[in-house]
Amino acid sequence: MSAMDQAKGKLLITGAAGFLGHHVVAAARAHGYEVVAIVRDAKAEAAKRLLDGTAVQLIEADVLDGEAIERAAAGCSAVLHCAGKVSRAKADAIA
């Protein structure tokens, strides 16, 4: 029986459709975890790529919506926060 056949638990991953989050989802699945993936837009191609037939539950939510995150985290053993602000505005740069 492979690790994919026996889930180790469930992880909530924010920013799952982003560069970092996508890789964290893949690593979690490879290690046998079920994943609750928080994305901003479930219809976006990056979000759809997360649904590859494995145990990934896609939830469209804003990470600033505490109630939505609490609901999504129900039954999860850990939260991996991979969401972040992406900006090319000079004013957002840290000096």
Side-chain angles (χ1 to χ4, degrees), residues 12-77:
L12 174 69
I13 302 176
T14 66
F19 179 78
L20 174 62
H22 172 77
H23 290 288
V24 172
V25 168
R29 289 302 307 133
H31 285 88
Y33 290 94
E34 291 180 56
V35 171
V36 177
I38 300 291
V39 298
R40 281 185 295 168
D41 181 2
K43 294 180 182 94
E45 284 303 313
K48 290 178 184 177
R49 280 194 293 269
L50 297 170
L51 301 173
D52 61 0
T54 62
V56 175
Q57 178 185 359
L58 204 58
I59 296 181
E60 187 173 272
D62 186 324
V63 294
L64 299 178
D65 182 347
E67 291 178 4
I69 299 302
E70 278 190 50
R71 284 190 304 273
C76 293
S77 56

